[in-house]
């Protein structure tokens, strides 16, 4: 399994409604002038829980329930820990570069660890792995309680950590005991937020009558949702283009899925519907119906009528205005401009 960059891992979604997880993503980098040398990100159920980088040098809680239940002391403790990690990762990048015989360029050393807890079965699964430049470097095997090195450059680290029995015991205890205990506490503290479910508004959109029909859902929470087209109750995988889940400014999410309609006969439209799914709530089904599609296409006749009306109104205003002007002109004294033979002389000299 490849170790993706932590920015990409933000898009990973939960696998089950009863599975809770806590994950940490640490990244040390070199060669990126506009990117912090060290970034740490903590996620609970794939929602950002806290953030730290070497530029601000401070850990910041990102959930209101954390401030209410954990207090400022939690942020201070995390700050102290991560400041030390920042120095370690800076050293790890240099070590890895030496192992791969690299002297310059952009390079990343990453660490991902955490655990999953099933609140129905109480089953726990923990993981700990390091990566370098997007590839697995070394990972912990819980069954054998040893370290795995997929590349020759990581073998030195494997042997070093295999011989450190205290480190192995510490990692094992954390993944099987401490991490799950913290997940249970976090879930309890943030239950109202974690269990919150907001349903979206779903619309059918179309640029022109021949364009694909877009099914757009916005305002839902959490982001562990799905949106797809069906025909006769079966999910479609052809002639559809599915977009990514994107965040809204208010903390909710949106997503879209397009359906190509060029080959769909008019009488077959009723066979299609768009389905929004969110675990724990009833599906939202939207029939493919021309009467409910919102389109950017403008009817030419609809454009001509307002223009004609506007021309008529302006003409009437112009006639009335001229009549009023003539009446007023006959009753008022001549203006200075009208009394002069050459109006240009009224302009100031250059």
């Amino acid at each position: 399994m490849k170790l993706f960059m932590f920015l990409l891992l933000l898009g990973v979604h939960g696998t089950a409604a009863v599975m809770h997880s806590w994950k940490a993503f640490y990244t040390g980098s070199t060669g990126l002038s506009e990117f912090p040398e060290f970034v740490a990100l903590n996620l609970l159920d794939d929602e950002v829980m806290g953030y730290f980088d070497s530029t601000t040098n401070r850990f910041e809680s990102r959930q209101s329930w954390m401030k209410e239940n954990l207090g400022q002391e939690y942020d201070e403790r995390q700050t102290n820990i991560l400041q030390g990690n920042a120095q370690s990762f800076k050293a790890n990048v240099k070590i890895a570069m030496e192992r791969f015989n690299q002297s310059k360029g952009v390079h990343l050393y990453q660490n991902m660890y955490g655990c999953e807890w099933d609140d129905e079965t109480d089953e726990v699964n923990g993981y700990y792995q390091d990566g370098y430049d997007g590839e697995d470097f070394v990972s912990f095997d819980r069954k054998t309680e040893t370290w795995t090195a997929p590349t020759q450059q990581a073998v030195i680290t494997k042997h070093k950590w295999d011989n450190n029995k205290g480190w192995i015991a510490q990692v094992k205890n954390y993944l099987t005991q401490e991490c799950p205990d913290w997940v249970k506490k976090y879930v309890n503290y943030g239950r109202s937020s974690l269990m919150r479910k907001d349903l979206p508004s779903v619309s059918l959109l179309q640029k022109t009558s021949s364009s694909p029909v877009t099914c757009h859902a916005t305002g839902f929470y959490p982001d562990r949702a799905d949106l797809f087209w069906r025909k006769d109750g079966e999910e479609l995988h052809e002639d559809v283009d599915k977009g990514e889940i994107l965040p809204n400014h208010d903390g909710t999410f949106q997503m879209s899925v397009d359906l190509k309609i060029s080959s769909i006969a008019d009488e077959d439209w009723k066979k299609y519907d768009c389905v929004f799914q969110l675990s724990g709530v009833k599906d939202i089904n939207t029939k493919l119906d021309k009467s409910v599609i919102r389109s950017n296409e403008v009817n030419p006749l609809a454009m001509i009528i307002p223009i004609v009306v506007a021309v008529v109104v302006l003409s009437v205003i112009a006639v009335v205005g001229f009549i009023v002007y003539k009446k007023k002109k006959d009753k008022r004294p001549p203006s200075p401009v009208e009394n002069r033979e050459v109006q240009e002389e009224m302009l100031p000299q250059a």
Side-chain angles (χ1 to χ4, degrees), residues 142-181:
R142 293 184 301 111
K143 293 181 179 179
T144 62
E145 296 185 12
T146 59
W147 297 89
T148 301
T151 63
Q152 185 62 36
Q153 291 84 351
V155 172
I156 297 176
T157 301
K158 167 187 164 52
H159 291 324
K160 180 180 179 180
W161 289 2
D162 279 345
N163 293 326
N164 190 340
K165 301 303 180 183
W167 170 234
I168 290 177
Q170 183 180 344
V171 172
K172 178 183 177 182
N173 181 69
Y174 180 83
L175 297 181
T176 58
Q177 299 296 326
E178 292 185 34
C179 183
D181 287 345

Side-chain angles (χ1 to χ4, degrees), residues 334-345:
S335 71
V337 174
E338 292 169 340
N339 274 339
R340 303 191 67 86
E341 294 181 359
V342 184
Q343 296 185 20
E344 285 74 16
E345 293 180 3

Side-chain angles (χ1 to χ4, degrees), residues 313-344:
V313 172
L314 289 175
S315 299
V316 172
I317 292 174
V319 172
V320 173
F322 178 75
I323 294 173
V324 172
Y325 168 77
K326 286 291 292 180
K327 289 183 178 180
K328 288 185 177 181
K329 181 179 179 182
D330 295 340
K331 295 180 180 180
R332 64 174 171 79
S335 71
V337 174
E338 292 169 340
N339 274 339
R340 303 191 67 86
E341 294 181 359
V342 184
Q343 296 185 20
E344 285 74 16

Side-chain angles (χ1 to χ4, degrees), residues 262-313:
S262 56
S263 60
I264 302 177
D266 290 349
E267 60 270 18
D268 290 335
W269 276 50
K270 59 185 178 181
K271 298 179 181 180
Y272 293 80
D273 64 341
C274 176
V275 182
F276 173 84
Q277 287 184 340
L278 183 64
S279 179
V281 299
K282 186 177 180 180
D283 293 354
I284 299 177
N285 300 323
T286 306
K287 286 288 185 181
L288 181 61
D289 186 343
K290 292 182 179 180
S291 64
V292 300
I293 295 177
R294 296 162 58 185
S295 175
N296 292 331
E297 192 171 45
V298 180
N299 187 331
L301 183 60
M303 294 180 62
I304 294 174
I305 293 176
I307 293 174
V308 172
V309 172
V311 171
V312 172
V313 172

Side-chain angles (χ1 to χ4, degrees), residues 55-68:
T55 301
T56 62
N57 216 29
R58 299 287 302 174
F59 177 86
E60 179 186 349
S61 294
R62 293 294 179 89
Q63 301 292 335
S64 59
W65 58 264
M66 294 176 65
K67 296 179 175 62
E68 296 170 1

Side-chain angles (χ1 to χ4, degrees), residues 220-257:
F220 60 87
Y221 184 93
D223 64 345
R224 295 185 292 277
D226 199 8
L227 187 70
F228 55 90
W229 283 101
R230 294 189 311 188
K231 179 183 179 182
D232 292 330
E234 297 293 330
E235 182 177 353
L236 290 173
H237 299 286
E238 295 183 359
D239 294 330
V240 295
D241 185 11
K242 197 168 189 176
E244 297 179 357
I245 295 180
L246 302 174
N248 290 322
H249 69 280
D250 60 357
T252 61
F253 299 91
Q254 62 172 295
M255 67 184 305
S256 298
V257 57

